[in-house]
Amino acid sequence: VSESLSETFLRASRESQHRLAEILASDRSGSEAFLILAANGKASLRLLLDPVIRNRLNAHGLERMNERITAMTIHLPNENEQLLKLIDERRSQFSVAKSSVEKGAMVFEKNCASCHHVAGKGQKIGPQLDGIGVRGMTRVIEDVLDPHRNVDPAFRVTTLQLSDGRVVAGLIRRSEGATIVLADNMGKEFTIAKADVDDQQLSTLSLMPTNFGEAVSAEDFHHMLAFLLSQ
């Protein structure tokens, strides 16, 4: 199993690595396996700093986990500095004349419509975005690239500790009899039996992935920004 995971991380894109790390961090044994992979250089150490993954790891109470992560990541460049730099770059490079609202609508539909609704299209899992253009360019860029910065309590992730040792996280959508319906960060709903929940914690985190700056090219990002500002 360890060899298979190592090979998978080696071949996976950044986005796929992030998703795999989330899955591993959903239970205690997977979390331990992920920490070992990271320590052995098989998985990106930056994944250990991701707030969503870190939140899941924390839920398992692994021995000396915070010490281990600190030791592995202490020499990494400050993530906040890099994020601020990316925000500044996207802001300084944006030009309405060079960006296409029409192309931006397609970028939005491909990457965001599974969770967000705007101009009559998309799903209403995350915040509804009609009128988002009034926030202005800087705030929209920050909301997309740093989704954990300003999170409405109604859209914060809930972490559930299950009786079988697993940890699952998502946005609570509704209660249906003996089950809880949640949505994951791909906009897909899943159910958990209420009887299987040992503990439930509301985090300060957004459901929205934090890797949008990597998953979408700068050109496509600026097209999408033009589309959002036109709303």
Side-chain angles (χ1 to χ4, degrees), residues 12-116:
S13 65
R14 288 174 183 265
E15 185 176 359
S16 296
Q17 282 195 32
H18 188 280
R19 182 62 181 149
L20 181 56
E22 284 188 344
I23 294 170
L24 288 173
S26 294
D27 64 40
R28 187 180 180 87
S29 60
S31 295
E32 186 63 50
F34 172 58
L35 288 175
I36 293 173
L37 286 168
N40 292 333
K42 304 298 184 182
S44 172
L45 291 177
R46 290 204 171 279
L47 293 169
L48 297 172
L49 300 178
D50 182 272
V52 174
I53 295 171
R54 189 67 173 267
N55 189 52
R56 293 193 181 192
L57 291 172
N58 280 329
H60 300 298
L62 296 176
E63 186 177 357
R64 297 179 54 250
M65 188 198 72
N66 287 326
E67 292 178 38
R68 293 161 68 186
I69 291 178
T70 298
M72 285 188 278
T73 61
I74 192 169
H75 298 298
L76 290 179
N78 186 292
E79 190 73 16
N80 287 331
E81 290 180 4
Q82 291 193 335
L83 182 57
L84 290 173
K85 181 180 179 182
L86 178 61
I87 290 172
D88 286 341
E89 286 177 352
R90 294 293 165 88
R91 181 173 56 227
S92 64
Q93 294 168 0
F94 177 65
S95 170
V96 176
K98 296 179 181 179
S99 300
S100 166
V101 172
E102 291 74 20
K103 290 181 180 179
M106 291 188 287
V107 176
F108 178 89
E109 184 174 355
K110 178 181 178 181
N111 295 279
C112 312
S114 60
C115 288
H116 293 287

Side-chain angles (χ1 to χ4, degrees), residues 43-215:
S44 172
L45 291 177
R46 290 204 171 279
L47 293 169
L48 297 172
L49 300 178
D50 182 272
V52 174
I53 295 171
R54 189 67 173 267
N55 189 52
R56 293 193 181 192
L57 291 172
N58 280 329
H60 300 298
L62 296 176
E63 186 177 357
R64 297 179 54 250
M65 188 198 72
N66 287 326
E67 292 178 38
R68 293 161 68 186
I69 291 178
T70 298
M72 285 188 278
T73 61
I74 192 169
H75 298 298
L76 290 179
N78 186 292
E79 190 73 16
N80 287 331
E81 290 180 4
Q82 291 193 335
L83 182 57
L84 290 173
K85 181 180 179 182
L86 178 61
I87 290 172
D88 286 341
E89 286 177 352
R90 294 293 165 88
R91 181 173 56 227
S92 64
Q93 294 168 0
F94 177 65
S95 170
V96 176
K98 296 179 181 179
S99 300
S100 166
V101 172
E102 291 74 20
K103 290 181 180 179
M106 291 188 287
V107 176
F108 178 89
E109 184 174 355
K110 178 181 178 181
N111 295 279
C112 312
S114 60
C115 288
H116 293 287
H117 184 273
V118 67
K121 296 181 180 180
Q123 303 299 314
K124 297 181 179 179
I125 292 176
Q128 199 267 1
L129 300 181
D130 282 328
I132 189 175
V134 300
R135 299 184 189 180
M137 178 180 64
T138 298
R139 175 58 191 271
V140 172
I141 293 174
E142 290 175 352
D143 287 345
V144 174
L145 296 180
D146 190 9
H148 300 308
R149 181 179 295 194
N150 302 288
V151 188
D152 186 306
F155 297 101
R156 289 179 179 173
V157 168
T158 293
T159 301
L160 303 178
Q161 179 82 47
L162 305 184
S163 54
D164 62 4
R166 290 183 297 136
V167 173
V168 298
L171 182 67
I172 292 183
R173 299 283 284 156
R174 59 190 178 276
S175 178
E176 292 182 347
T179 64
I180 302 171
V181 181
L182 302 95
D184 63 19
N185 61 10
M186 302 298 288
K188 296 180 180 179
E189 291 188 346
F190 63 98
T191 60
I192 297 293
K194 293 178 181 177
D196 293 337
V197 179
D198 282 348
D199 187 52
Q200 177 174 322
Q201 297 289 334
L202 180 65
S203 75
T204 60
L205 304 176
S206 168
L207 185 67
M208 183 172 169
T210 57
N211 64 338
F212 206 87
E214 299 172 348

